[in-house]
Amino acid sequence: MNRVKLLFFAALRERMGTRTLDLDLPAGLTVHGLKARFLDEYPEMSESMKSVLIAVNREYASDETLIPLNAEIGLFPPVSGG
Amino acid sequence: MNRVKLLFFAALRERMGTRTLDLDLPAGLTVHGLKARFLDEYPEMSESMKSVLIAVNREYASDETLIPLNAEIGLFPPVSGG
Amino acid sequence: MQSSGLPTVFAVIEDEIDLNALLARITLVSTGAAAIFTGMVRGETKRGEERQTEYLEYEAYIPMAEEKMRQVADEIRAQWSAVEGIAIVQRIGMLYPKTPTVLIACTAAHRDTGVFEAARYGIDRLKEIVPIWKKEVSPDGGFWIEGEYAPKAGE
Amino acid sequence: MQSSGLPTVFAVIEDEIDLNALLARITLVSTGAAAIFTGMVRGETKRGEERQTEYLEYEAYIPMAEEKMRQVADEIRAQWSAVEGIAIVQRIGMLYPKTPTVLIACTAAHRDTGVFEAARYGIDRLKEIVPIWKKEVSPDGGFWIEGEYAPKAGE
């Protein structure tokens, strides 16, 4: 198993009601697989997940990115700083 | 007669050894006439006067500009601020 | 990307942005010019739907934001080799109208070296890839502003 | 040229240039962006003949300089109508390396309104028509720097 830490920001954090969530994933999962698994558990997040950006260990990831062991995974909307 | 005040800046001020000079001019003189008259009196300034800029009452003037009564006349090199 | 000892300041802060101090930190003895961009909270917005803003609430994924600021600085140096110092600072928290929220500053020996373009690139890029968000709070309520850019993997 | 109550700061000063204070003076409730240029004394110059500078001595024809700064601000507003506030400040006296000597700042609601170009125009124009001069003092002596621009009558 692979224990990862999800970090939520902005609208996703508000909707989740938490900043962090620890999750046990099967080894070898991709970001795509993580999203599917996450939505199974939190179907109420499906709207927010449509435009979500995902960072794996603080680097932008694609659906194909493999999730390393003990990864830190950021989930957030397109950025709007400045 | 027209008493005007000459103001010197930067290299011209240093070469003249003064910041200001009061001068009596005939009425109706142009900047060109002023330059000729000034160089008659201060021939040692001829080198400095080659690139001189002249402001009459704080506006850039040309050789044809007529000098008004009691004008304030700035004489200085091309500007180099910033 | 080597930065060869040139000063690069990047930070997410909660205190006021001090332009004087930041400029001093990126000024070398060979520096003659600085281009600085600052953004501030608009209390009244006329472009698009007119609206009033009571305050903005900024949030950042701080360690990633600082890494991405460093990346923006590296991208600037790769495009404008004359740039000497770079500062990229985002203030977060509750920020009221007229308050500076972000600063991008680039220094160089001379002003015709791309410093203006470098600062402009810096703020454009920050708004694309640096993980910071703002929530706009008005008398009618609040909403998160969502950007339009989707960074590619590894970008 | 009407400036319709928009803030325009122009000054020849002997004290330090305070970027924070100047920015605050040209920030309106509708302002969201500022482009600021500052020039500083270079202690080492590599372009052209390499040289060291101990300090610069700045001199101004103060009342005319302030009138010409006002004119530069008017020219900026005529070209970039979105510009809200403008600050143009020159520091004079003996100024040592790394010291900011001049500031041009323009504010607007948004950054894509020409504020960068307006600030760039402001510093270019200041160096053409605002009567200020600098004498460069080095270990070997001093010389007045002479500009290259000859303003037309009434310019």
Side-chain angles (χ1 to χ4, degrees):
Chain A
M1 292 296 278
N2 178 8
R3 166 148 290 205
V4 300
K5 182 183 286 287
L6 305 190
L7 304 178
F8 303 95
F9 296 95
L12 272 89
R13 171 183 57 72
E14 282 191 349
R15 177 150 306 210
M16 277 297 289
T18 181
R19 291 182 183 278
T20 66
L21 180 71
D22 288 336
L23 213 61
D24 286 316
L25 303 177
L29 204 66
T30 61
V31 164
H32 180 79
L34 166 72
K35 280 181 180 171
R37 205 176 169 92
F38 175 74
L39 282 172
D40 278 350
E41 251 181 279
Y42 300 90
E44 70 277 18
M45 293 299 290
S46 66
E47 194 56 35
S48 299
M49 289 293 286
K50 280 181 184 161
S51 63
V52 74
L53 299 182
I54 295 195
V56 175
N57 292 336
R58 305 173 188 171
E59 268 302 342
Y60 288 107
S62 70
D63 276 353
E64 292 71 42
T65 304
L66 276 173
I67 296 177
L69 282 179
N70 308 119
E72 174 182 302
I73 300 174
L75 296 94
F76 45 78
V79 308
S80 60
Chain B
M1 293 295 279
N2 178 8
R3 166 147 291 205
V4 299
K5 184 183 284 288
L6 305 190
L7 304 178
F8 303 95
F9 295 95
L12 272 88
R13 171 182 59 71
E14 281 191 349
R15 177 150 304 210
M16 277 297 287
T18 182
R19 290 182 183 279
T20 65
L21 180 71
D22 288 337
L23 212 61
D24 285 316
L25 303 177
L29 203 67
T30 62
V31 164
H32 180 79
L34 166 72
K35 280 181 179 170
R37 205 177 169 93
F38 175 73
L39 281 173
D40 278 350
E41 251 182 279
Y42 299 90
E44 71 276 17
M45 295 297 289
S46 65
E47 194 57 35
S48 299
M49 290 293 285
K50 280 181 183 161
S51 63
V52 74
L53 300 182
I54 295 195
V56 174
N57 290 336
R58 303 173 189 172
E59 268 302 343
Y60 288 108
S62 69
D63 277 353
E64 291 71 43
T65 304
L66 276 173
I67 297 177
L69 282 179
N70 308 120
E72 174 182 302
I73 300 174
L75 296 95
F76 45 77
V79 308
S80 61
Chain C
M1 171 60 48
Q2 279 291 98
S3 59
S4 36
L6 295 170
T8 306
V9 177
F10 48 93
V12 175
I13 63 174
E14 299 196 21
D15 296 329
E16 280 185 25
I17 295 177
D18 184 341
L19 281 75
N20 298 320
L22 287 164
L23 182 60
R25 286 179 64 185
I26 59 168
T27 300
L28 304 180
V29 72
S30 51
T31 298
I36 306 168
F37 175 82
T38 64
M40 42 278 276
V41 179
R42 267 193 315 280
E44 296 175 2
T45 297
K46 285 163 187 156
R47 187 183 281 185
E49 200 178 342
E50 277 200 38
R51 63 188 195 274
Q52 309 275 316
T53 300
E54 193 177 319
Y55 64 87
L56 296 180
E57 174 93 46
Y58 281 82
E59 174 174 335
Y61 180 4
I62 294 178
M64 181 173 170
E66 293 185 342
E67 284 180 26
K68 289 291 152 188
M69 287 172 167
R70 152 79 76 179
Q71 176 181 328
V72 171
D74 288 343
E75 291 178 6
I76 288 173
R77 291 193 196 287
Q79 280 188 68
W80 291 279
S81 60
V83 166
E84 295 181 339
I86 300 175
I88 303 178
V89 177
Q90 172 79 49
R91 187 175 178 190
I92 58 172
M94 272 176 67
L95 300 177
Y96 286 82
K98 302 177 79 172
T99 308
T101 58
V102 67
L103 171 141
I104 313 280
C106 296
T107 59
H110 304 275
R111 73 186 186 287
D112 59 359
T113 50
V115 275
F116 286 91
E117 293 78 3
R120 175 67 193 266
Y121 178 85
I123 181 62
D124 288 350
R125 200 69 177 126
L126 177 138
K127 286 169 175 271
E128 287 180 346
I129 66 167
V130 179
I132 303 162
W133 306 270
K134 57 185 168 228
K135 184 177 189 173
E136 188 160 331
V137 180
S138 73
D140 307 328
F143 62 93
W144 286 96
I145 300 182
E146 195 164 297
E148 287 166 9
Y149 191 80
K152 292 186 293 292
E155 180 172 356
Chain D
M1 170 62 46
Q2 279 292 99
S3 60
S4 36
L6 294 172
T8 307
V9 177
F10 47 95
V12 176
I13 64 173
E14 299 196 22
D15 295 331
E16 280 185 25
I17 295 176
D18 183 341
L19 281 75
N20 298 320
L22 287 164
L23 182 61
R25 286 179 65 185
I26 59 167
T27 300
L28 304 180
V29 73
S30 51
T31 298
I36 305 169
F37 175 83
T38 65
M40 41 279 276
V41 179
R42 267 192 315 279
E44 296 175 2
T45 298
K46 285 164 189 156
R47 187 182 281 185
E49 200 180 339
E50 277 201 37
R51 63 188 195 274
Q52 309 275 317
T53 300
E54 194 176 318
Y55 63 88
L56 296 179
E57 174 94 47
Y58 281 80
E59 175 174 334
Y61 180 2
I62 294 179
M64 181 172 169
E66 293 185 343
E67 284 180 27
K68 290 290 151 187
M69 287 173 166
R70 152 79 75 181
Q71 176 181 327
V72 171
D74 288 344
E75 290 178 8
I76 288 172
R77 291 194 196 287
Q79 280 187 68
W80 291 280
S81 60
V83 167
E84 294 181 338
I86 300 174
I88 303 178
V89 177
Q90 172 78 49
R91 187 176 178 190
I92 59 171
M94 272 175 67
L95 300 177
Y96 286 82
K98 303 177 79 172
T99 308
T101 58
V102 67
L103 171 141
I104 313 280
C106 296
T107 58
H110 304 275
R111 73 187 185 286
D112 60 359
T113 51
V115 276
F116 286 91
E117 293 79 2
R120 175 69 193 265
Y121 177 85
I123 182 62
D124 288 349
R125 200 67 177 126
L126 177 136
K127 285 170 174 273
E128 288 180 345
I129 65 167
V130 179
I132 303 163
W133 305 270
K134 56 185 167 226
K135 184 178 189 172
E136 188 160 328
V137 180
S138 73
D140 307 327
F143 62 93
W144 286 97
I145 300 180
E146 196 164 298
E148 287 166 10
Y149 191 79
K152 293 186 292 292
E155 181 171 353

